[in-house]
């Protein structure tokens, strides 16, 4: 059976001091929850503090991006090796905000994914359609194409360390949520694409999250869908009570 993974994406929020107090507050609230994996993906400068604060708890720490080169002249970038050395376990790759504001393409998302996997990180690979694509009725084609391009050259063995996060761009930070049926249908399309690429067993094993205005009020219904195996949560992951309620909804 595939694992349910509830992950927070803090985006550009929280200082190291706020990180320490947040995790200190959250840890006892989610202690003993073993039906899902709990991950917080935090800004680079917060990672060391987060890893330290999460020691001995069931909270895992991730980064929000990673560069594809091992080292070199890439001012401002962070390598997978650097992340591993400070105790990072997960990394988000291909978030729509990276694609929209920082020129990420499926080609660079693919390179970053490969570099992260090679270093031993678990990847949360984000993809999803923009509003115009949904309105044009090409959502299935878009997510299927992204899945193929982003996973190009990644082996079946490596795929075991990949989680796919389906995040319809029009639902991110907007308060608009895909209906459970819409989200389930599109996650199903992604799963079928994985089946076509890697076979049925791999498709049944891969964790596919939904992300986009998931919160304490709508999580249970979304997580009850057969093709939704967790959530990637933005705004609601910044409030310990709300994030805990989503973890509880996954039980
Ligand atoms: P919100 O939950 O704030 O809509 O953000 C979703 C997201 O982008 C998670 O990666």
């Amino acid at each position: 059976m595939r694992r349910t993974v509830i992950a927070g994406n803090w985006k550009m929020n929280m200082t190291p001091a706020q990180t320490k107090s947040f995790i200190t507050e959250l840890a006892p609230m989610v202690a003993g929850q073993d039906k899902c994996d709990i991950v917080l993906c935090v800004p680079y400068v917060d990672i060391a503090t987060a890893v330290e604060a999460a020691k001995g708890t069931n909270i895992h720490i991730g980064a929000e991006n990673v560069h594809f080169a091992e080292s070199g002249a890439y001012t401002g970038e962070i390598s997978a090796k650097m992340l591993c050395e400070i105790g990072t376990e997960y990394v988000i790759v291909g978030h729509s905000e990276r694609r929209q504001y920082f020129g990420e393409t499926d080609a660079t998302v693919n390179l970053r994914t490969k570099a992260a996997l090679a270093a031993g990180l678990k990847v949360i690979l984000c993809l999803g359609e923009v509003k115009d694509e949904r309105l044009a009725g090409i959502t299935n084609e878009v997510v299927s194409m992204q899945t193929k391009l982003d996973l190009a050259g990644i082996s079946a063995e490596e795929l075991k360390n990949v989680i796919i996060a389906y995040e319809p761009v029009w639902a991110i930070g907007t308060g608009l949520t895909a209906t459970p049926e819409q989200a389930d249908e599109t996650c199903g399309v992604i799963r079928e694409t994985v089946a076509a690429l890697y076979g049925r067993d791999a498709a049944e094993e891969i964790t596919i999250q939904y992300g986009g205005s998931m919160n304490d009020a709508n999580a249970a219904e979304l997580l009850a869908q057969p093709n939704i195996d967790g959530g990637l949560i933005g705004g609601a992951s910044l409030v310990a009570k709300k994030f805990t309620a989503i973890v509880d909804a996954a039980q």
Side-chain angles (χ1 to χ4, degrees):
M1 253 324 266
R2 49 190 182 250
R3 283 292 285 172
T4 298
V5 181
I6 301 295
N9 172 11
W10 279 3
K11 309 191 179 184
M12 198 172 74
N13 293 290
M14 301 270 198
T15 66
Q18 290 170 323
T19 298
K20 188 174 175 189
S21 68
F22 182 92
I23 294 177
T24 306
E25 182 190 358
L26 179 70
M29 296 168 77
V30 297
Q33 301 282 26
D34 57 2
K35 298 282 193 302
C36 65
D37 292 339
I38 302 169
V39 183
L40 289 177
C41 296
V42 306
Y44 290 133
V45 295
D46 295 335
I47 293 173
T49 305
V51 166
E52 185 61 32
K55 264 197 190 127
T57 76
N58 54 348
I59 300 167
H60 301 266
I61 302 302
E64 299 177 11
N65 197 14
V66 62
H67 197 257
F68 42 79
E70 279 183 28
S71 63
Y74 299 99
T75 303
E77 293 291 325
I78 299 288
S79 74
K81 189 177 172 190
M82 294 172 189
L83 293 177
C84 289
E85 195 170 311
I86 59 169
T88 315
E89 282 182 74
Y90 289 78
V91 62
I92 295 172
V93 174
H95 192 276
S96 69
E97 286 147 20
R98 300 296 319 172
R99 296 178 190 252
Q100 190 178 348
Y101 306 132
F102 303 101
E104 289 280 346
T105 63
D106 287 307
T108 57
V109 169
N110 175 249
L111 288 174
R112 287 175 204 266
T113 302
K114 284 177 175 160
L117 292 170
L121 292 163
K122 296 189 177 82
V123 171
I124 300 177
L125 170 64
C126 301
L127 51 88
E129 82 287 1
V130 299
K131 189 176 176 188
D132 284 349
E133 291 164 341
R134 179 155 287 267
L135 293 177
I138 57 169
T139 296
N140 294 357
E141 287 89 337
V142 169
V143 298
S144 171
M145 184 187 72
Q146 289 176 326
T147 304
K148 289 176 188 166
L149 292 172
D150 296 350
L151 292 176
I154 287 161
S155 71
E157 197 50 38
E158 288 174 314
L159 188 74
K160 292 179 179 159
N161 285 319
V162 176
I163 292 165
I164 296 178
Y166 166 56
E167 299 206 301
V169 179
W170 49 271
I172 294 176
T174 57
L176 292 173
T177 318
T179 65
E181 294 72 27
Q182 276 174 331
D184 186 61
E185 185 192 345
T186 311
C187 288
V189 170
I190 295 167
R191 200 176 300 286
E192 286 312 307
T193 308
V194 171
L197 294 170
Y198 295 95
R200 177 59 51 192
D201 287 355
E204 292 306 323
E205 259 172 51
I206 194 164
T207 294
I208 303 181
Q209 299 172 315
Y210 168 79
S213 300
M214 189 187 268
N215 57 41
D216 44 330
N218 60 27
E221 209 186 348
L222 285 159
L223 295 170
Q225 302 301 313
N227 276 306
I228 301 178
D229 315 313
L232 185 56
I233 297 112
S237 75
L238 298 167
V239 183
K241 241 176 103 175
K242 289 187 184 181
F243 190 66
T244 302
I246 297 171
V247 169
D248 289 343
Q251 297 302 299

